[in-house]
Structure formats: C-alpha cells, structure tokens
Amino acid sequence: MHYSLLGPLHVVGDDGAPVVVSGRQLRLVLTVLLVSVGRRVTAESLMDAVWGDEPPATATGTLQSYISRLRAHLGAGAVVWDDAGYRLDIDPDDVVHVRF
C-alpha cells in the first residue's frame, strides 16, 4: 500500500489500484494515524480529532467501527491496538506527506 497526504488523501494498493476509504470521519482517523505512523495514538486523541470537545455517547463504539473498517481496507494487521492506543503498522516509506 502507498499513502499520500497533504491535499486529498490517496491510498493505492500494492496492485496499483486505488483503495477507496470513504466517509469524512473514517478518512480523518486514517489521516491522524498516518501523520503518526509507527507511533501510538490514544483512542481519546482519535475521538478528539473526529468530534472535538463534545463526542457523542457512542464515540467509543463508533471509533472501534472505524478501526474495523480501516483494517478491512488496509489489511488486518495494518492497525494495531496495544494497551495504550492504536498504531498504524506500515512501512513509513510508504507514506508520502507532500505531493507535487
């Protein structure tokens, strides 16, 4: 997989085909994880990025749903959970932060 940030978010599979990650909030979760690639991001930080200071009562479950959807798009091992948060387990060289 290859990822492009700064401008529209683009995800391209190893076969060269685009991977469609639809929905503003799902794309936002992926973007936060990409900016922090290889580092842990707490669930609270992700919820804050998506909903700000007033997350809905269903925020935890909805975030888990977003993570599940990302795993379906990117592969089961791409988003890893440990006791402190989520981490995108991809090669940092696959992330292009600037597109010209």
Side-chain angles (χ1 to χ4, degrees):
M1 296 267 185
H2 296 280
Y3 308 84
S4 296
L5 296 171
L6 197 60
L9 171 65
H10 293 281
V11 180
V12 178
D14 291 333
D15 62 357
V19 176
V20 178
V21 179
S22 60
R24 184 187 69 79
Q25 291 174 322
L26 181 61
R27 293 170 64 84
L28 183 55
V29 170
L30 177 56
T31 299
V32 171
L33 291 170
L34 284 168
V35 169
S36 304
V37 69
R39 294 186 314 250
R40 188 178 309 122
V41 180
T42 65
E44 292 78 18
S45 294
L46 289 170
M47 288 187 282
D48 187 51
V50 174
W51 293 288
D53 293 334
E54 296 186 29
T58 59
T60 299
T62 302
L63 178 62
Q64 290 170 349
S65 173
Y66 292 157
I67 296 299
S68 178
R69 289 173 55 196
L70 285 177
R71 288 178 175 141
H73 288 303
L74 310 179
V79 183
V80 178
W81 165 259
D82 65 27
D83 58 349
Y86 294 98
R87 178 176 46 84
L88 201 54
D89 190 21
I90 61 171
D91 185 343
D93 291 336
D94 288 341
V95 181
V96 177
H97 294 280
V98 179
R99 293 183 55 219
F100 294 99

